[in-house]
Amino acid sequence: MKYRDNKITEKRDNERVELTGYLVKTIDIPLNSPVIVRDVSMEGLRLIRVPSKFAYRESPTVIIVSGNRLSECYKLTIMPCWRKKNALYWDVGFYIYRAPVSWKRFVKIKKMQAKKNRGVLGSL
């Protein structure tokens, strides 16, 4: 991250891809409400509706990201990078510390689909 005019600006090496319908469960932190995946990249992900006890965790956390199909289930180890207060909950950016090859393949496919959709929308 860089500072510009006393504000933090992000410098990203990897493009983010928005996701809908993906939820997170934690292995070691009980959550009372669903945590939602907003977007992903090869190196990180942004979660929304994150409770404070999860947002301020400073050690690696194991999560399960699940989608609409049973085959869409990924076990990731993540670390928080940044957090932003949003009403009762937090929006938190996480660095993906450890991910299976299937997750990386999933993100690549989502990036290709997003690029294809932008091309179709751009030509209208």
Side-chain angles (χ1 to χ4, degrees):
M1 288 191 199
K2 291 183 174 182
Y3 287 94
R4 184 175 175 193
D5 300 327
N6 292 329
K7 293 182 180 179
I8 298 175
T9 59
E10 299 180 37
K11 180 184 176 199
R12 299 201 171 279
D13 294 331
N14 289 302
E15 175 186 351
R16 286 183 175 186
V17 179
E18 283 194 36
L19 292 182
T20 55
Y22 289 82
L23 301 175
V24 168
K25 293 181 182 174
T26 60
I27 300 294
D28 53 353
I29 304 170
L31 300 173
N32 297 331
S33 62
V35 174
I36 300 166
V37 180
R38 172 62 71 203
D39 54 48
V40 298
S41 71
M42 281 297 189
E43 295 180 351
L45 71 162
R46 177 172 42 152
L47 304 179
I48 60 172
R49 296 183 47 96
V50 179
S52 293
K53 63 184 171 186
F54 185 17
Y56 278 93
R57 179 112 181 202
E58 293 297 328
S59 59
T61 303
V62 177
I63 63 169
I64 304 296
V65 176
S66 57
N68 300 325
R69 295 180 288 185
L70 290 175
S71 61
E72 293 181 327
C73 189
Y74 307 96
K75 182 178 176 183
L76 309 174
T77 304
I78 58 173
M79 288 280 294
C81 296
W82 58 266
R83 59 188 71 81
K84 177 183 166 196
K85 185 73 170 157
N86 191 353
L88 298 174
Y89 297 100
W90 294 86
D91 292 353
V92 183
F94 289 91
Y95 167 73
I96 299 174
Y97 189 70
R98 190 174 301 129
V101 172
S102 59
W103 171 260
K104 295 174 184 180
R105 190 174 23 241
F106 167 76
V107 173
K108 276 186 183 179
I109 290 168
K110 291 296 182 184
K111 284 174 72 172
M112 288 188 312
Q113 289 172 343
K115 199 175 277 188
K116 182 179 177 184
N117 289 342
R118 276 196 308 269
V120 169
L121 293 174
S123 64
L124 294 177

mmCIF file of all heavy atoms in Angstrom, residues 31-79:
data_model
loop_
_atom_site.group_PDB
_atom_site.id
_atom_site.type_symbol
_atom_site.label_atom_id
_atom_site.label_comp_id
_atom_site.label_asym_id
_atom_site.label_seq_id
_atom_site.Cartn_x
_atom_site.Cartn_y
_atom_site.Cartn_z
ATOM 1 N N LEU A 31 -18.824 -18.435 14.650
ATOM 2 C CA LEU A 31 -19.430 -17.234 14.080
ATOM 3 C C LEU A 31 -20.945 -17.333 14.191
ATOM 4 O O LEU A 31 -21.524 -18.368 13.910
ATOM 5 C CB LEU A 31 -19.027 -17.070 12.617
ATOM 6 C CG LEU A 31 -17.531 -16.950 12.346
ATOM 7 C CD1 LEU A 31 -17.277 -16.975 10.848
ATOM 8 C CD2 LEU A 31 -16.990 -15.673 12.955
ATOM 9 N N ASN A 32 -21.574 -16.233 14.590
ATOM 10 C CA ASN A 32 -23.025 -16.213 14.747
ATOM 11 C C ASN A 32 -23.757 -15.854 13.464
ATOM 12 O O ASN A 32 -24.944 -16.110 13.341
ATOM 13 C CB ASN A 32 -23.423 -15.218 15.848
ATOM 14 C CG ASN A 32 -22.881 -15.638 17.196
ATOM 15 O OD1 ASN A 32 -22.699 -16.819 17.436
ATOM 16 N ND2 ASN A 32 -22.606 -14.683 18.053
ATOM 17 N N SER A 33 -23.078 -15.215 12.533
ATOM 18 C CA SER A 33 -23.708 -14.819 11.281
ATOM 19 C C SER A 33 -22.777 -15.168 10.126
ATOM 20 O O SER A 33 -21.569 -15.320 10.316
ATOM 21 C CB SER A 33 -24.017 -13.325 11.290
ATOM 22 O OG SER A 33 -22.829 -12.588 11.415
ATOM 23 N N PRO A 34 -23.325 -15.280 8.920
ATOM 24 C CA PRO A 34 -22.479 -15.666 7.788
ATOM 25 C C PRO A 34 -21.486 -14.569 7.402
ATOM 26 O O PRO A 34 -21.811 -13.386 7.432
ATOM 27 C CB PRO A 34 -23.473 -15.912 6.661
ATOM 28 C CG PRO A 34 -24.701 -15.179 7.042
ATOM 29 C CD PRO A 34 -24.713 -15.109 8.534
ATOM 30 N N VAL A 35 -20.285 -14.969 7.089
ATOM 31 C CA VAL A 35 -19.270 -14.075 6.545
ATOM 32 C C VAL A 35 -19.279 -14.307 5.036
ATOM 33 O O VAL A 35 -19.256 -15.448 4.573
ATOM 34 C CB VAL A 35 -17.883 -14.373 7.155
ATOM 35 C CG1 VAL A 35 -16.812 -13.554 6.475
ATOM 36 C CG2 VAL A 35 -17.898 -14.103 8.661
ATOM 37 N N ILE A 36 -19.323 -13.222 4.277
ATOM 38 C CA ILE A 36 -19.512 -13.294 2.839
ATOM 39 C C ILE A 36 -18.222 -12.940 2.109
ATOM 40 O O ILE A 36 -17.545 -11.988 2.476
ATOM 41 C CB ILE A 36 -20.636 -12.325 2.416
ATOM 42 C CG1 ILE A 36 -21.941 -12.724 3.123
ATOM 43 C CG2 ILE A 36 -20.818 -12.299 0.901
ATOM 44 C CD1 ILE A 36 -23.017 -11.680 3.053
ATOM 45 N N VAL A 37 -17.913 -13.704 1.064
ATOM 46 C CA VAL A 37 -16.766 -13.399 0.205
ATOM 47 C C VAL A 37 -17.230 -12.363 -0.818
ATOM 48 O O VAL A 37 -18.167 -12.591 -1.562
ATOM 49 C CB VAL A 37 -16.253 -14.658 -0.528
ATOM 50 C CG1 VAL A 37 -15.066 -14.301 -1.418
ATOM 51 C CG2 VAL A 37 -15.884 -15.743 0.460
ATOM 52 N N ARG A 38 -16.563 -11.201 -0.850
ATOM 53 C CA ARG A 38 -16.928 -10.139 -1.801
ATOM 54 C C ARG A 38 -16.120 -10.272 -3.088
ATOM 55 O O ARG A 38 -16.644 -10.192 -4.174
ATOM 56 C CB ARG A 38 -16.703 -8.771 -1.175
ATOM 57 C CG ARG A 38 -16.858 -7.604 -2.128
ATOM 58 C CD ARG A 38 -18.237 -7.482 -2.726
ATOM 59 N NE ARG A 38 -19.154 -7.054 -1.697
ATOM 60 C CZ ARG A 38 -20.447 -7.255 -1.722
ATOM 61 N NH1 ARG A 38 -21.005 -7.875 -2.725
ATOM 62 N NH2 ARG A 38 -21.215 -6.863 -0.743
ATOM 63 N N ASP A 39 -14.787 -10.452 -2.957
ATOM 64 C CA ASP A 39 -13.955 -10.619 -4.145
ATOM 65 C C ASP A 39 -12.686 -11.368 -3.789
ATOM 66 O O ASP A 39 -12.333 -11.504 -2.620
ATOM 67 C CB ASP A 39 -13.652 -9.281 -4.832
ATOM 68 C CG ASP A 39 -13.039 -8.250 -3.912
ATOM 69 O OD1 ASP A 39 -12.079 -8.578 -3.192
ATOM 70 O OD2 ASP A 39 -13.508 -7.100 -3.911
ATOM 71 N N VAL A 40 -12.022 -11.883 -4.840
ATOM 72 C CA VAL A 40 -10.825 -12.704 -4.659
ATOM 73 C C VAL A 40 -9.779 -12.338 -5.694
ATOM 74 O O VAL A 40 -10.084 -11.769 -6.741
ATOM 75 C CB VAL A 40 -11.138 -14.220 -4.775
ATOM 76 C CG1 VAL A 40 -12.097 -14.663 -3.712
ATOM 77 C CG2 VAL A 40 -11.653 -14.579 -6.150
ATOM 78 N N SER A 41 -8.538 -12.668 -5.382
ATOM 79 C CA SER A 41 -7.441 -12.621 -6.336
ATOM 80 C C SER A 41 -6.583 -13.850 -6.053
ATOM 81 O O SER A 41 -6.897 -14.627 -5.149
ATOM 82 C CB SER A 41 -6.627 -11.333 -6.191
ATOM 83 O OG SER A 41 -5.871 -11.358 -4.997
ATOM 84 N N MET A 42 -5.507 -14.011 -6.775
ATOM 85 C CA MET A 42 -4.633 -15.164 -6.543
ATOM 86 C C MET A 42 -3.990 -15.128 -5.152
ATOM 87 O O MET A 42 -3.715 -16.165 -4.574
ATOM 88 C CB MET A 42 -3.532 -15.230 -7.601
ATOM 89 C CG MET A 42 -3.986 -15.786 -8.897
ATOM 90 S SD MET A 42 -4.505 -17.477 -8.694
ATOM 91 C CE MET A 42 -4.701 -17.925 -10.378
ATOM 92 N N GLU A 43 -3.776 -13.930 -4.633
ATOM 93 C CA GLU A 43 -3.053 -13.804 -3.367
ATOM 94 C C GLU A 43 -3.911 -13.405 -2.185
ATOM 95 O O GLU A 43 -3.431 -13.382 -1.057
ATOM 96 C CB GLU A 43 -1.927 -12.790 -3.529
ATOM 97 C CG GLU A 43 -0.873 -13.248 -4.504
ATOM 98 C CD GLU A 43 0.229 -12.233 -4.661
ATOM 99 O OE1 GLU A 43 0.106 -11.113 -4.150
ATOM 100 O OE2 GLU A 43 1.215 -12.574 -5.319
ATOM 101 N N GLY A 44 -5.186 -13.052 -2.413
ATOM 102 C CA GLY A 44 -5.989 -12.593 -1.297
ATOM 103 C C GLY A 44 -7.475 -12.649 -1.562
ATOM 104 O O GLY A 44 -7.928 -13.045 -2.630
ATOM 105 N N LEU A 45 -8.235 -12.258 -0.531
ATOM 106 C CA LEU A 45 -9.674 -12.166 -0.667
ATOM 107 C C LEU A 45 -10.211 -11.127 0.300
ATOM 108 O O LEU A 45 -9.569 -10.824 1.306
ATOM 109 C CB LEU A 45 -10.362 -13.509 -0.465
ATOM 110 C CG LEU A 45 -10.425 -14.128 0.920
ATOM 111 C CD1 LEU A 45 -11.522 -15.191 0.926
ATOM 112 C CD2 LEU A 45 -9.129 -14.799 1.274
ATOM 113 N N ARG A 46 -11.369 -10.554 -0.064
ATOM 114 C CA ARG A 46 -12.030 -9.586 0.807
ATOM 115 C C ARG A 46 -13.305 -10.221 1.320
ATOM 116 O O ARG A 46 -14.121 -10.726 0.550
ATOM 117 C CB ARG A 46 -12.363 -8.300 0.054
ATOM 118 C CG ARG A 46 -13.114 -7.315 0.933
ATOM 119 C CD ARG A 46 -13.305 -5.964 0.338
ATOM 120 N NE ARG A 46 -13.676 -5.971 -1.061
ATOM 121 C CZ ARG A 46 -14.388 -5.006 -1.635
ATOM 122 N NH1 ARG A 46 -14.799 -3.970 -0.940
ATOM 123 N NH2 ARG A 46 -14.678 -5.066 -2.917
ATOM 124 N N LEU A 47 -13.457 -10.191 2.640
ATOM 125 C CA LEU A 47 -14.653 -10.707 3.285
ATOM 126 C C LEU A 47 -15.435 -9.550 3.865
ATOM 127 O O LEU A 47 -14.854 -8.570 4.346
ATOM 128 C CB LEU A 47 -14.282 -11.691 4.400
ATOM 129 C CG LEU A 47 -13.408 -12.873 4.002
ATOM 130 C CD1 LEU A 47 -13.122 -13.744 5.221
ATOM 131 C CD2 LEU A 47 -14.044 -13.689 2.897
ATOM 132 N N ILE A 48 -16.770 -9.661 3.837
ATOM 133 C CA ILE A 48 -17.617 -8.635 4.447
ATOM 134 C C ILE A 48 -18.491 -9.293 5.513
ATOM 135 O O ILE A 48 -18.631 -10.511 5.546
ATOM 136 C CB ILE A 48 -18.480 -7.904 3.393
ATOM 137 C CG1 ILE A 48 -19.409 -8.859 2.659
ATOM 138 C CG2 ILE A 48 -17.589 -7.182 2.390
ATOM 139 C CD1 ILE A 48 -20.411 -8.154 1.751
ATOM 140 N N ARG A 49 -19.029 -8.441 6.393
ATOM 141 C CA ARG A 49 -19.822 -8.893 7.553
ATOM 142 C C ARG A 49 -18.962 -9.715 8.519
ATOM 143 O O ARG A 49 -19.400 -10.717 9.075
ATOM 144 C CB ARG A 49 -21.047 -9.678 7.112
ATOM 145 C CG ARG A 49 -22.058 -8.857 6.316
ATOM 146 C CD ARG A 49 -23.280 -9.656 5.969
ATOM 147 N NE ARG A 49 -23.813 -10.386 7.091
ATOM 148 C CZ ARG A 49 -24.806 -9.969 7.876
ATOM 149 N NH1 ARG A 49 -25.375 -8.827 7.648
ATOM 150 N NH2 ARG A 49 -25.232 -10.711 8.873
ATOM 151 N N VAL A 50 -17.735 -9.283 8.711
ATOM 152 C CA VAL A 50 -16.786 -9.989 9.576
ATOM 153 C C VAL A 50 -16.913 -9.448 10.997
ATOM 154 O O VAL A 50 -16.774 -8.246 11.213
ATOM 155 C CB VAL A 50 -15.338 -9.802 9.069
ATOM 156 C CG1 VAL A 50 -14.349 -10.500 9.976
ATOM 157 C CG2 VAL A 50 -15.208 -10.292 7.628
ATOM 158 N N PRO A 51 -17.155 -10.306 12.002
ATOM 159 C CA PRO A 51 -17.216 -9.837 13.385
ATOM 160 C C PRO A 51 -15.820 -9.465 13.901
ATOM 161 O O PRO A 51 -14.811 -9.954 13.395
ATOM 162 C CB PRO A 51 -17.792 -11.025 14.147
ATOM 163 C CG PRO A 51 -17.574 -12.209 13.290
ATOM 164 C CD PRO A 51 -17.474 -11.724 11.877
ATOM 165 N N SER A 52 -15.774 -8.610 14.913
ATOM 166 C CA SER A 52 -14.501 -8.104 15.457
ATOM 167 C C SER A 52 -13.552 -9.211 15.875
ATOM 168 O O SER A 52 -12.348 -9.133 15.641
ATOM 169 C CB SER A 52 -14.758 -7.187 16.649
ATOM 170 O OG SER A 52 -15.403 -6.032 16.227
ATOM 171 N N LYS A 53 -14.074 -10.268 16.512
ATOM 172 C CA LYS A 53 -13.183 -11.331 17.004
ATOM 173 C C LYS A 53 -12.433 -12.027 15.865
ATOM 174 O O LYS A 53 -11.364 -12.564 16.057
ATOM 175 C CB LYS A 53 -13.948 -12.342 17.843
ATOM 176 C CG LYS A 53 -15.020 -13.103 17.106
ATOM 177 C CD LYS A 53 -15.771 -14.009 18.061
ATOM 178 C CE LYS A 53 -16.989 -14.613 17.392
ATOM 179 N NZ LYS A 53 -17.795 -15.365 18.333
ATOM 180 N N PHE A 54 -13.000 -11.986 14.665
ATOM 181 C CA PHE A 54 -12.352 -12.561 13.486
ATOM 182 C C PHE A 54 -11.501 -11.504 12.785
ATOM 183 O O PHE A 54 -10.383 -11.773 12.349
ATOM 184 C CB PHE A 54 -13.425 -13.124 12.564
ATOM 185 C CG PHE A 54 -12.924 -13.868 11.356
ATOM 186 C CD1 PHE A 54 -11.625 -14.336 11.252
ATOM 187 C CD2 PHE A 54 -13.783 -14.117 10.306
ATOM 188 C CE1 PHE A 54 -11.196 -15.025 10.123
ATOM 189 C CE2 PHE A 54 -13.370 -14.803 9.174
ATOM 190 C CZ PHE A 54 -12.076 -15.252 9.087
ATOM 191 N N ALA A 55 -11.990 -10.267 12.706
ATOM 192 C CA ALA A 55 -11.288 -9.187 12.001
ATOM 193 C C ALA A 55 -9.956 -8.841 12.653
ATOM 194 O O ALA A 55 -9.011 -8.461 11.974
ATOM 195 C CB ALA A 55 -12.170 -7.940 11.941
ATOM 196 N N TYR A 56 -9.872 -8.958 13.972
ATOM 197 C CA TYR A 56 -8.657 -8.570 14.681
ATOM 198 C C TYR A 56 -7.753 -9.740 15.041
ATOM 199 O O TYR A 56 -6.820 -9.593 15.802
ATOM 200 C CB TYR A 56 -9.014 -7.772 15.932
ATOM 201 C CG TYR A 56 -9.271 -6.330 15.587
ATOM 202 C CD1 TYR A 56 -10.551 -5.884 15.312
ATOM 203 C CD2 TYR A 56 -8.221 -5.440 15.490
ATOM 204 C CE1 TYR A 56 -10.783 -4.571 14.950
ATOM 205 C CE2 TYR A 56 -8.447 -4.119 15.138
ATOM 206 C CZ TYR A 56 -9.721 -3.699 14.869
ATOM 207 O OH TYR A 56 -9.940 -2.391 14.513
ATOM 208 N N ARG A 57 -8.008 -10.859 14.484
ATOM 209 C CA ARG A 57 -7.155 -12.029 14.710
ATOM 210 C C ARG A 57 -5.813 -11.794 14.027
ATOM 211 O O ARG A 57 -5.759 -11.479 12.847
ATOM 212 C CB ARG A 57 -7.853 -13.253 14.131
ATOM 213 C CG ARG A 57 -7.087 -14.506 14.277
ATOM 214 C CD ARG A 57 -7.792 -15.394 15.216
ATOM 215 N NE ARG A 57 -7.028 -16.611 15.377
ATOM 216 C CZ ARG A 57 -7.544 -17.713 15.787
ATOM 217 N NH1 ARG A 57 -8.812 -17.771 16.070
ATOM 218 N NH2 ARG A 57 -6.799 -18.777 15.935
ATOM 219 N N GLU A 58 -4.723 -11.952 14.745
ATOM 220 C CA GLU A 58 -3.392 -11.663 14.196
ATOM 221 C C GLU A 58 -2.571 -12.912 13.907
ATOM 222 O O GLU A 58 -1.392 -12.820 13.645
ATOM 223 C CB GLU A 58 -2.613 -10.750 15.158
ATOM 224 C CG GLU A 58 -3.204 -9.361 15.275
ATOM 225 C CD GLU A 58 -3.189 -8.584 13.950
ATOM 226 O OE1 GLU A 58 -2.274 -8.791 13.140
ATOM 227 O OE2 GLU A 58 -4.111 -7.787 13.742
ATOM 228 N N SER A 59 -3.201 -14.052 13.945
ATOM 229 C CA SER A 59 -2.493 -15.290 13.613
ATOM 230 C C SER A 59 -3.193 -15.949 12.421
ATOM 231 O O SER A 59 -4.335 -15.622 12.112
ATOM 232 C CB SER A 59 -2.497 -16.227 14.825
ATOM 233 O OG SER A 59 -3.824 -16.518 15.211
ATOM 234 N N PRO A 60 -2.511 -16.862 11.754
ATOM 235 C CA PRO A 60 -3.148 -17.537 10.618
ATOM 236 C C PRO A 60 -4.451 -18.213 11.044
ATOM 237 O O PRO A 60 -4.551 -18.792 12.120
ATOM 238 C CB PRO A 60 -2.112 -18.573 10.185
ATOM 239 C CG PRO A 60 -0.815 -18.059 10.686
ATOM 240 C CD PRO A 60 -1.140 -17.328 11.960
ATOM 241 N N THR A 61 -5.454 -18.102 10.195
ATOM 242 C CA THR A 61 -6.772 -18.682 10.467
ATOM 243 C C THR A 61 -7.150 -19.595 9.309
ATOM 244 O O THR A 61 -6.976 -19.230 8.147
ATOM 245 C CB THR A 61 -7.831 -17.562 10.598
ATOM 246 O OG1 THR A 61 -7.420 -16.672 11.639
ATOM 247 C CG2 THR A 61 -9.193 -18.118 10.923
ATOM 248 N N VAL A 62 -7.673 -20.757 9.640
ATOM 249 C CA VAL A 62 -8.120 -21.700 8.618
ATOM 250 C C VAL A 62 -9.611 -21.470 8.387
ATOM 251 O O VAL A 62 -10.391 -21.420 9.337
ATOM 252 C CB VAL A 62 -7.861 -23.157 9.052
ATOM 253 C CG1 VAL A 62 -8.408 -24.132 8.014
ATOM 254 C CG2 VAL A 62 -6.375 -23.388 9.273
ATOM 255 N N ILE A 63 -9.970 -21.295 7.109
ATOM 256 C CA ILE A 63 -11.369 -21.090 6.749
ATOM 257 C C ILE A 63 -11.770 -22.090 5.668
ATOM 258 O O ILE A 63 -10.913 -22.662 4.998
ATOM 259 C CB ILE A 63 -11.641 -19.658 6.239
ATOM 260 C CG1 ILE A 63 -10.856 -19.377 4.944
ATOM 261 C CG2 ILE A 63 -11.349 -18.636 7.318
ATOM 262 C CD1 ILE A 63 -11.262 -18.100 4.227
ATOM 263 N N ILE A 64 -13.068 -22.264 5.540
ATOM 264 C CA ILE A 64 -13.634 -23.051 4.448
ATOM 265 C C ILE A 64 -14.506 -22.096 3.640
ATOM 266 O O ILE A 64 -15.432 -21.488 4.173
ATOM 267 C CB ILE A 64 -14.505 -24.217 4.966
ATOM 268 C CG1 ILE A 64 -13.726 -25.110 5.917
ATOM 269 C CG2 ILE A 64 -15.098 -24.998 3.805
ATOM 270 C CD1 ILE A 64 -12.558 -25.839 5.307
ATOM 271 N N VAL A 65 -14.172 -21.932 2.360
ATOM 272 C CA VAL A 65 -14.975 -21.126 1.442
ATOM 273 C C VAL A 65 -15.852 -22.095 0.674
ATOM 274 O O VAL A 65 -15.355 -23.041 0.065
ATOM 275 C CB VAL A 65 -14.084 -20.328 0.462
ATOM 276 C CG1 VAL A 65 -14.946 -19.578 -0.552
ATOM 277 C CG2 VAL A 65 -13.184 -19.368 1.210
ATOM 278 N N SER A 66 -17.170 -21.868 0.728
ATOM 279 C CA SER A 66 -18.079 -22.760 0.011
ATOM 280 C C SER A 66 -19.001 -21.966 -0.894
ATOM 281 O O SER A 66 -19.376 -20.839 -0.588
ATOM 282 C CB SER A 66 -18.889 -23.612 0.992
ATOM 283 O OG SER A 66 -19.602 -22.784 1.887
ATOM 284 N N GLY A 67 -19.332 -22.588 -2.006
ATOM 285 C CA GLY A 67 -20.187 -21.947 -3.000
ATOM 286 C C GLY A 67 -21.519 -22.638 -3.122
ATOM 287 O O GLY A 67 -21.973 -23.321 -2.196
ATOM 288 N N ASN A 68 -22.128 -22.482 -4.270
ATOM 289 C CA ASN A 68 -23.463 -23.012 -4.498
ATOM 290 C C ASN A 68 -23.482 -24.518 -4.739
ATOM 291 O O ASN A 68 -24.481 -25.160 -4.494
ATOM 292 C CB ASN A 68 -24.098 -22.295 -5.697
ATOM 293 C CG ASN A 68 -24.210 -20.817 -5.455
ATOM 294 O OD1 ASN A 68 -24.450 -20.383 -4.339
ATOM 295 N ND2 ASN A 68 -24.018 -20.021 -6.486
ATOM 296 N N ARG A 69 -22.384 -25.059 -5.233
ATOM 297 C CA ARG A 69 -22.306 -26.492 -5.502
ATOM 298 C C ARG A 69 -21.431 -27.170 -4.457
ATOM 299 O O ARG A 69 -20.519 -26.557 -3.911
ATOM 300 C CB ARG A 69 -21.730 -26.736 -6.887
ATOM 301 C CG ARG A 69 -22.647 -26.217 -7.996
ATOM 302 C CD ARG A 69 -22.051 -26.461 -9.333
ATOM 303 N NE ARG A 69 -20.929 -25.528 -9.495
ATOM 304 C CZ ARG A 69 -20.226 -25.397 -10.595
ATOM 305 N NH1 ARG A 69 -20.471 -26.152 -11.623
ATOM 306 N NH2 ARG A 69 -19.249 -24.525 -10.671
ATOM 307 N N LEU A 70 -21.693 -28.440 -4.209
ATOM 308 C CA LEU A 70 -20.901 -29.184 -3.229
ATOM 309 C C LEU A 70 -19.431 -29.255 -3.626
ATOM 310 O O LEU A 70 -18.556 -29.308 -2.774
ATOM 311 C CB LEU A 70 -21.459 -30.601 -3.056
ATOM 312 C CG LEU A 70 -22.817 -30.696 -2.360
ATOM 313 C CD1 LEU A 70 -23.311 -32.135 -2.367
ATOM 314 C CD2 LEU A 70 -22.712 -30.174 -0.940
ATOM 315 N N SER A 71 -19.167 -29.255 -4.925
ATOM 316 C CA SER A 71 -17.779 -29.347 -5.389
ATOM 317 C C SER A 71 -17.012 -28.057 -5.134
ATOM 318 O O SER A 71 -15.792 -28.043 -5.210
ATOM 319 C CB SER A 71 -17.745 -29.694 -6.877
ATOM 320 O OG SER A 71 -18.385 -28.679 -7.628
ATOM 321 N N GLU A 72 -17.708 -26.954 -4.857
ATOM 322 C CA GLU A 72 -17.050 -25.677 -4.603
ATOM 323 C C GLU A 72 -16.836 -25.488 -3.103
ATOM 324 O O GLU A 72 -17.605 -24.838 -2.419
ATOM 325 C CB GLU A 72 -17.881 -24.528 -5.167
ATOM 326 C CG GLU A 72 -17.955 -24.530 -6.658
ATOM 327 C CD GLU A 72 -18.772 -23.369 -7.195
ATOM 328 O OE1 GLU A 72 -19.732 -22.949 -6.549
ATOM 329 O OE2 GLU A 72 -18.412 -22.884 -8.278
ATOM 330 N N CYS A 73 -15.779 -26.102 -2.623
ATOM 331 C CA CYS A 73 -15.445 -26.037 -1.202
ATOM 332 C C CYS A 73 -13.918 -26.039 -1.091
ATOM 333 O O CYS A 73 -13.262 -26.973 -1.567
ATOM 334 C CB CYS A 73 -16.057 -27.234 -0.493
ATOM 335 S SG CYS A 73 -15.939 -27.151 1.284
ATOM 336 N N TYR A 74 -13.363 -24.971 -0.497
ATOM 337 C CA TYR A 74 -11.912 -24.799 -0.474
ATOM 338 C C TYR A 74 -11.444 -24.468 0.939
ATOM 339 O O TYR A 74 -11.998 -23.592 1.591
ATOM 340 C CB TYR A 74 -11.501 -23.666 -1.420
ATOM 341 C CG TYR A 74 -12.053 -23.843 -2.807
ATOM 342 C CD1 TYR A 74 -13.238 -23.213 -3.190
ATOM 343 C CD2 TYR A 74 -11.406 -24.650 -3.727
ATOM 344 C CE1 TYR A 74 -13.754 -23.377 -4.461
ATOM 345 C CE2 TYR A 74 -11.920 -24.824 -5.012
ATOM 346 C CZ TYR A 74 -13.101 -24.185 -5.366
ATOM 347 O OH TYR A 74 -13.612 -24.356 -6.618
ATOM 348 N N LYS A 75 -10.407 -25.133 1.373
ATOM 349 C CA LYS A 75 -9.815 -24.887 2.682
ATOM 350 C C LYS A 75 -8.597 -23.980 2.490
ATOM 351 O O LYS A 75 -7.653 -24.345 1.793
ATOM 352 C CB LYS A 75 -9.400 -26.212 3.320
ATOM 353 C CG LYS A 75 -8.821 -26.071 4.699
ATOM 354 C CD LYS A 75 -8.486 -27.449 5.264
ATOM 355 C CE LYS A 75 -7.815 -27.377 6.601
ATOM 356 N NZ LYS A 75 -7.447 -28.715 7.087
ATOM 357 N N LEU A 76 -8.649 -22.787 3.090
ATOM 358 C CA LEU A 76 -7.580 -21.793 2.954
ATOM 359 C C LEU A 76 -7.047 -21.403 4.321
ATOM 360 O O LEU A 76 -7.795 -21.378 5.301
ATOM 361 C CB LEU A 76 -8.107 -20.526 2.269
ATOM 362 C CG LEU A 76 -8.871 -20.666 0.963
ATOM 363 C CD1 LEU A 76 -9.413 -19.318 0.539
ATOM 364 C CD2 LEU A 76 -7.985 -21.248 -0.104
ATOM 365 N N THR A 77 -5.781 -21.049 4.373
ATOM 366 C CA THR A 77 -5.204 -20.433 5.565
ATOM 367 C C THR A 77 -4.946 -18.980 5.213
ATOM 368 O O THR A 77 -4.293 -18.689 4.204
ATOM 369 C CB THR A 77 -3.890 -21.126 5.978
ATOM 370 O OG1 THR A 77 -4.147 -22.523 6.165
ATOM 371 C CG2 THR A 77 -3.347 -20.532 7.264
ATOM 372 N N ILE A 78 -5.483 -18.059 6.023
ATOM 373 C CA ILE A 78 -5.438 -16.634 5.697
ATOM 374 C C ILE A 78 -4.898 -15.810 6.865
ATOM 375 O O ILE A 78 -4.910 -16.255 8.007
ATOM 376 C CB ILE A 78 -6.841 -16.108 5.306
ATOM 377 C CG1 ILE A 78 -7.841 -16.338 6.437
ATOM 378 C CG2 ILE A 78 -7.312 -16.773 4.020
ATOM 379 C CD1 ILE A 78 -9.198 -15.709 6.204
ATOM 380 N N MET A 79 -4.424 -14.607 6.529
ATOM 381 C CA MET A 79 -3.963 -13.621 7.523
ATOM 382 C C MET A 79 -4.559 -12.269 7.133
ATOM 383 O O MET A 79 -4.565 -11.926 5.953
ATOM 384 C CB MET A 79 -2.437 -13.484 7.486
ATOM 385 C CG MET A 79 -1.679 -14.651 8.046
ATOM 386 S SD MET A 79 -1.603 -14.622 9.834
ATOM 387 C CE MET A 79 -0.619 -13.181 10.132
#
